[in-house]
Amino acid sequence: MTSPTVAGPNTAVRAGAGSPSRTGTGRRAPSRWLSRTAVNGTLLLSVLYTLFPLVWLVTAATKDSGGLLSGEAFSFKGFDLGHNLSQLAAYNDGVYFRWYLNSLLYAGGGAAVCALVSVAAGYAFDKYAFPGKEKLFGVVLLGVLVPTTALALPMYLLASKVGLVNTYWSVLIPVLVNPFGVYLSRVFSASYIPGEALEAARIDGAGELRTFWSIGLRMVMPGFVTVFLFQFTAIWNNFFLPLVMLSDQKLFPLSLGLYAWNSNTHAEPGYYPLVVTGSLLAVVPLVVAFVSLQRHWKAGLAAGSLK
């Protein structure tokens, strides 16, 4: 016969040792709740801080001069967006949209060529071996440390010697090279372009240019898009270089043209609706560019795969 098991004090202690402590669980739950609240509150404040200027810009673009100066910019009372847009299009024979096209030319064309040059240079630094490669790349990295405003005066003197001042080329040529874009492109090339794919292309008889254009550029397309967006934003917001290079208002980009209008607002308050409405329209290409090109970053996760 088996003797019944007698539950002693040690058994009770052992049984209680494995059970979770209600007190500990109760303490951890409020702590976790407080952590989530702090994180979500910080994110909410960041979002509000980011969207606040944009909300002001949207509502202020619907006001006339009196509504802006009276401090009622955040209300839709006195909605006058259509009249502001018509004034913007008619003022000075539509010079605003001439500035808009100029900015699209400077930013779109300059960023596309700059991205291509940067990707090609980064590809060469990564995949080829040539004398002085690392020293030359060090010079490129040194160019990242130099602020663009420090180069404006030397570039103006060079442009004046070759007769490019006050032309489209005086703004376009300096933005075709971006040292940071070259560095970033080398990183993307090392990550996304396997050497086996290039060797296979060479074995099939493809030349170096064909290999880069058909294989390398397509695999590093996320890097191309990244450099393009960075440079597009920088050129679109560029102010100092056009200020130094240009004197003809027909060549102005949006940043310089809106600055010229804003300088006249103290003497003529009628410029306020033009500046605010023009600033609202100036944001649209940046939003469109980021929304339409973000899918290429997601596609970059599989950019370096081999079939």
Side-chain angles (χ1 to χ4, degrees):
M1 296 178 62
T2 58
S3 57
T5 304
V6 179
N10 293 335
T11 305
V13 171
R14 287 195 299 270
S19 61
S21 174
R22 294 184 179 179
T23 305
T25 305
R27 289 177 180 176
R28 285 195 297 269
S31 176
R32 186 178 303 172
W33 182 83
L34 289 175
S35 299
R36 291 180 179 178
T37 303
V39 172
N40 292 333
T42 303
L43 292 176
L44 180 60
L45 289 176
S46 301
V47 171
L48 292 177
Y49 178 79
T50 303
L51 294 180
F52 182 80
L54 185 59
V55 173
W56 182 92
L57 191 61
V58 171
T59 57
T62 65
K63 299 288 182 296
D64 56 8
S65 301
L68 288 172
L69 296 176
S70 64
E72 298 179 353
F74 280 105
S75 69
F76 285 99
K77 182 180 178 181
F79 191 89
D80 205 20
L81 180 60
H83 181 258
N84 291 342
L85 290 174
S86 62
Q87 275 193 326
L88 191 66
Y91 183 80
N92 200 6
D93 295 329
V95 69
Y96 173 82
F97 291 101
R98 175 68 179 265
W99 297 341
Y100 213 97
L101 292 176
N102 291 341
S103 291
L104 289 176
L105 173 63
Y106 295 141
V113 176
C114 175
L116 182 61
V117 171
S118 298
V119 168
Y123 173 87
F125 276 117
D126 177 50
K127 301 304 180 186
Y128 295 113
F130 50 88
K133 181 178 79 170
E134 296 303 328
K135 293 182 179 179
L136 183 60
F137 189 69
V139 175
V140 173
L141 294 181
L142 186 62
V144 177
L145 304 178
V146 180
T148 55
T149 53
L151 300 175
L153 182 57
M155 285 190 292
Y156 172 79
L157 296 176
L158 290 173
S160 64
K161 283 187 175 295
V162 295
L164 294 180
V165 173
N166 203 29
T167 64
Y168 286 107
W169 296 109
S170 62
V171 179
L172 268 176
I173 293 178
V175 300
L176 299 182
V177 179
N178 184 3
F180 179 73
V182 176
Y183 164 75
L184 195 63
S185 298
R186 183 177 183 178
V187 174
F188 271 99
S189 177
S191 302
Y192 289 154
I193 305 178
E196 293 84 353
L198 302 182
E199 288 298 328
R202 295 186 183 107
I203 291 174
D204 290 340
E208 295 301 326
L209 289 178
R210 177 66 182 275
T211 301
F212 167 72
W213 187 260
S214 301
I215 305 296
L217 183 59
R218 300 193 179 205
M219 285 186 169
V220 81
M221 187 56 66
F224 178 90
V225 173
T226 302
V227 176
F228 175 84
L229 287 177
F230 282 160
Q231 193 69 354
F232 183 88
T233 305
I235 300 172
W236 189 267
N237 296 325
N238 193 9
F239 170 76
F240 193 67
L241 181 64
L243 177 65
V244 172
M245 294 290 188
L246 303 177
S247 58
D248 186 0
Q249 282 198 359
K250 294 182 179 180
L251 303 178
F252 281 5
L254 277 177
S255 57
L256 189 56
L258 291 175
Y259 169 79
W261 280 357
N262 189 59
S263 301
N264 297 326
T265 54
H266 298 290
E268 181 56 50
Y271 279 101
Y272 276 117
L274 298 177
V275 173
V276 175
T277 309
S279 299
L280 177 62
L281 294 182
V283 178
V284 174
L286 297 177
V287 176
V288 171
F290 274 90
V291 171
S292 60
L293 296 177
Q294 65 177 346
R295 61 187 180 88
H296 290 280
W297 286 326
K298 298 178 183 179
L301 296 175
S305 61
L306 286 174
K307 295 183 179 180

